[in-house]
């Protein structure tokens, strides 16, 4: 079987992905800042919000993992600085630290969001976020780039979607045959969605849900993440796959 490291395993999409990976015969190494109620495989407790936290996590990872699934994330309700740190710089730093020790032919899959699709319209800002190397001071960066607290979440996902495309062709990944892709869910029924209802308003979330008939479930997203990590996706690289019940298409169809 393959060895798969998964962040965010204590809840929601990460938990479901870990369960499904284990059912499919993978050796799972779960990562989260909170301990899961029921561990699947091995568990490493750690925090993606700082350079030191990521370094400790990377050191705890064994050599030879086949896939790194970056699923951990926060809603943005604690402000732009921690959100940019966790949702983008933490997973990028972990990916960069893990890649040299991953098995050639491996895969990195990150969970972005349809909230990140604004990257084309905000290309300069997305570029500046990706251009900031290592683990920048995200409070200062948010100030410099004009990212208000309520925009931290979409902007973190914009950076993630742009970086995914860039990273796919960076030597650190490409020369080892490591593919880099992302999955963008629409609203999915997990604890984060409760926070989105508070931040964005019930009406906004409900209108998205009504458009596609129901909210997604973690079980709608986990197979897509695992597919991108599998050999069946060997010709998919630098891509962002929507798993949103058609929400994005429906919005585009109306506005184009
Ligand atoms: P969740 O809140 O159920 O799970 C997130 C997990 O990430 C938690 O277990 C949490 O402890 C962990 N985590 C948060 N900060 C961390 C840190 N600094 N270090 C280590 N672990 C940390 O949320 P859900 O829905 O499962 O979210 C998973 C991913 O899916 C996130 O990246 C989120 O942005 C994304 N997403 C979720 C959507 C939804 O509607 N649920 C929609 C679009 C994207």
């Amino acid at each position: 079987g393959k060895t798969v490291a998964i962040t965010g395993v204590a809840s929601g999409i990460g938990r479901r992905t870990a369960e499904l990976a284990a059912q499919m015969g993978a050796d799972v190494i779960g990562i989260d800042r909170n301990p899961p109620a029921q561990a699947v495989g091995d568990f490493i407790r750690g925090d993606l919000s700082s350079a030191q936290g990521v370094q400790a996590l990377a050191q705890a990872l064994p050599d030879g993992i086949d896939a790194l699934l970056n699923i951990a994330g926060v809603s943005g309700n604690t402000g732009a600085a921690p959100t940019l740190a966790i949702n983008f710089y933490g997973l990028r730093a972990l990916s960069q630290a893990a890649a040299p020790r991953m098995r050639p032919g491996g895969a990195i899959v990150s969970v972005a969001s349809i909230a990140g699709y604004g990257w084309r319209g905000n290309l300069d800002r997305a570029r500046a976020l990706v251009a900031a190397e290592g683990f920048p001071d995200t409070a200062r960066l948010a100030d410099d780039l004009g990212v208000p607290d309520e925009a931290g979440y979409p902007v973190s996902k914009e950076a993630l979607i742009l970086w995914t495309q860039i990273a796919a062709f960076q030597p650190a990944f490409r020369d080892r045959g490591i593919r880099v892709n992302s999955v963008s869910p629409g609203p999915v029924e997990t604890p984060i969605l409760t926070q989105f209802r508070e931040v964005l308003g019930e009406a906004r979330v409900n209108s998205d849900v009504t458009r596609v008939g129901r909210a997604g479930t973690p079980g709608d997203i986990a197979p897509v993440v695992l597919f991108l990590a599998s050999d069946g996706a060997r010709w998919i690289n630098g891509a962002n796959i929507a798993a949103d019940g058609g929400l994005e298409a429906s919005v585009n169809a109306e506005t184009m």
Side-chain angles (χ1 to χ4, degrees):
K2 295 197 175 186
T3 303
V4 183
I6 308 176
T7 73
V9 291
S11 182
I13 297 168
R15 172 157 67 195
R16 184 67 203 121
T17 304
E19 289 166 358
L20 188 58
Q23 277 168 25
M24 294 171 81
D27 291 322
V28 172
I29 302 169
I31 296 169
D32 207 291
R33 67 179 171 189
N34 297 322
Q38 250 179 326
V40 176
D42 292 334
F43 176 68
I44 304 171
R45 191 168 187 177
D47 188 342
L48 289 161
S49 68
S50 70
Q52 303 87 296
V54 171
Q55 201 185 359
L57 278 171
Q59 275 165 7
L61 277 181
D63 286 340
I65 63 170
D66 295 283
L68 170 63
L69 312 182
N70 294 309
I71 303 180
V74 291
S75 68
N77 70 351
T78 56
T83 305
L84 291 171
I86 296 166
N87 289 9
F88 180 56
Y89 293 107
L91 71 80
R92 185 181 69 172
L94 185 62
S95 303
Q96 289 168 341
R101 295 161 53 214
M102 283 173 67
R103 205 171 285 167
I108 291 172
V109 183
S110 306
V111 175
S113 167
I114 105 171
Y117 288 3
W119 70 271
R120 285 177 202 275
N122 298 304
L123 189 53
D124 289 346
R125 189 174 63 190
R127 278 217 176 101
L129 285 156
V130 174
E133 281 174 32
F135 218 113
D137 175 343
T138 52
R140 181 188 291 177
L141 199 60
D143 250 14
D144 289 351
L145 297 174
V147 182
D149 280 344
E150 62 274 18
Y153 184 81
V155 169
S156 71
K157 301 297 189 179
E158 288 174 13
L160 173 53
I161 292 173
L162 181 61
W163 174 75
T164 297
Q165 297 173 66
I166 292 169
F169 269 74
Q170 280 174 340
F173 302 104
R174 191 166 190 241
D175 291 357
R176 293 185 61 80
I178 297 169
R179 295 176 297 102
V180 188
N181 292 294
S182 65
V183 176
S184 283
V188 175
E189 217 50 81
T190 72
I192 248 188
L193 193 59
T194 310
Q195 292 176 19
F196 287 141
R197 286 197 167 98
E198 286 160 12
V199 175
L200 302 170
E202 188 84 21
R204 173 63 214 284
V205 172
N206 285 350
S207 100
D208 284 352
V209 169
T210 305
R211 210 176 246 280
V212 292
R214 64 172 172 83
T217 67
D220 293 325
I221 312 302
V224 186
V225 173
L226 292 178
F227 165 66
L228 285 173
S230 77
D231 294 338
R234 70 179 77 82
W235 203 232
I236 302 180
N237 198 11
N240 174 61
I241 307 291
D244 62 2
L247 177 57
E248 178 67 12
S250 149
V251 172
N252 286 345
E254 251 173 35
T255 52
M256 279 197 295

